[in-house]
Amino acid sequence: QEEAQAIDQELFTEYKFSVDQLMELAGLSCATAIAKAYPPSSFTSQPSVLVVCGPGNNGGDGLVCARHLKMFGYQPTVHYPKRPSKPLFEGLTTQCEKMGIPFLPEFPTEAAFIDELYGLVVDAIFGFSFKGAVREPFGSILSTLERVTVPIASIDIPSGWDVEKGKADGLQPDMLISLTAPKKAAMHFAGRYHFLGGRFVPPALQEKYALNLPPYPDTDCVLQL
Amino acid sequence: LPQAFPLPSLPRKAPTVLVVCGPAQNGAIGLVCARHLRIFDYEPTIFYPKRSPDPLYRDFTTQCEKMDIPFLSYVQLINDAYNAVVDAVLGAEAEVGEGREPCAAILATLKHIRIPIVSLDVPSGWDAESGSSGGISPDVLVSLAAPKECARRFLGRQHFVAGRFLPYDVQKKFELNPPEYPGTECVVAL
């Protein structure tokens, strides 16, 4: 977890990347990975996707992902219960709203409702900075998601998992999109699809932290691990 | 660029590309392009004679510098050193006219090179609406968001549209009718 935070810090302070730039590339990777694993034609009816966004940067990644999913022909719906009052997140929210992406005011109370309405759930609740106890409303949301039968795609870390040790009785996503590099928790991932995204790490940083990332295929922004 | 000039097809041993960046937004797009070319394993070199004071564009410059992309103080021997040139000098907002060093100088040089030119959005020095004879002749044009009027005069080999971010209602409102992008691609050949 510390290493991931150190890499991020260097990208922002030394390389002068903005959070907006990296979040856009990260969210685009997530949407691209989802489109490769679950193309719109693979859905039983409409390609409807529920994107659950948490209160931090992972939620921001989810908002970007939702917007690109819309461009790729999906029908995303967002649930974003706790919104930071920062221009970045307000901007991302507006971009989604103006593209006709609905925002649910309430989270579905039953897993069965989610299974009926959506073919896929994107978990953009907590990321690699997550520490400590899960605060409401996310505790209830995660309990419901644990009972959902449609596939779940988690962004960077399955929400609720310990960033290094995982969580055996927690969320079991079908897809994990590791951003920049896989985190320790990824070792406990047991789903079908593990993708790497966030193709922006300069070669010098990769060497410095001995990331040993496999090469991405030509100009793709995702790599299936 | 990789679609028009894939790595295995390049004539020179090293996948070198010269990216010429102007002082405004088109130049900034060139800086971002250079960074991604580096990630795609090309060897970009940047010529950015008149740098913008805009903090966002200054950060783009830092990102490139920190990725070991060289910035030239002058250009020479373009035909010998590079496989292709990315023209990110002037965009659709530029005024037509003579002068405006150092853009005029570099554009005069680019008119005479023999290696392919890839122009971003508008061939630099062309009038955005009517085009221009006597200006540079790019091999490849990458129209951003939607083709500009002057694209009708484009005579090069390949025309791409890139910048897959226009919401549908903006497309409809301005009657843009962009082509369908395949799958998750952010570039489409016209």
Side-chain angles (χ1 to χ4, degrees), chain A residues 14-18 21 25 31-32 35-36 68 70-73 98-99 199-204 218-219, chain B residues 2 32 35-36 38-40 56 59-60 62-63 66-68 164-169 171 183-185:
Chain A
E14 298 287 319
Y15 285 77
K16 302 285 192 204
F17 280 102
S18 68
Q21 280 178 279
L25 292 172
T32 304
K36 285 190 190 280
H68 287 285
K70 181 82 187 211
M71 302 278 341
F72 293 160
K98 297 283 290 178
M99 286 190 61
R199 186 178 181 178
F200 45 67
V201 187
D218 26 68
T219 60
Chain B
V32 177
R35 170 165 43 88
H36 286 281
R38 177 81 178 83
I39 296 252
F40 294 159
L56 173 64
D59 285 347
F60 290 161
T62 306
Q63 290 154 27
K66 296 284 294 184
M67 287 187 63
D68 301 319
R164 185 178 182 178
F165 47 69
L166 287 182
Y168 300 120
D169 49 354
Q171 293 178 30
T184 58
E185 298 286 314

Side-chain angles (χ1 to χ4, degrees), chain A residues 44-134:
Chain A
T44 42
S45 54
Q46 299 298 320
S48 56
V49 179
L50 176 62
V51 185
V52 190
C53 298
N57 286 353
N58 204 255
D61 293 338
L63 292 174
V64 175
C65 173
R67 174 166 36 86
H68 287 285
L69 285 176
K70 181 82 187 211
M71 302 278 341
F72 293 160
Y74 291 83
Q75 288 168 11
T77 297
V78 174
H79 180 58
Y80 192 25
K82 290 272 183 255
R83 308 179 184 192
S85 45
K86 287 195 206 150
L88 168 63
F89 298 100
E90 287 165 359
L92 291 176
T93 305
T94 303
Q95 291 153 29
C96 284
E97 288 170 338
K98 297 283 290 178
M99 286 190 61
I101 297 173
F103 279 69
L104 295 180
E106 304 280 333
F107 194 70
T109 47
E110 304 285 331
F113 296 157
I114 297 178
D115 289 337
E116 211 178 284
L117 293 169
Y118 308 103
L120 175 74
V121 176
V122 177
D123 156 32
I125 302 175
F126 299 125
F128 73 84
S129 310
F130 173 65
K131 258 193 190 114
V134 175

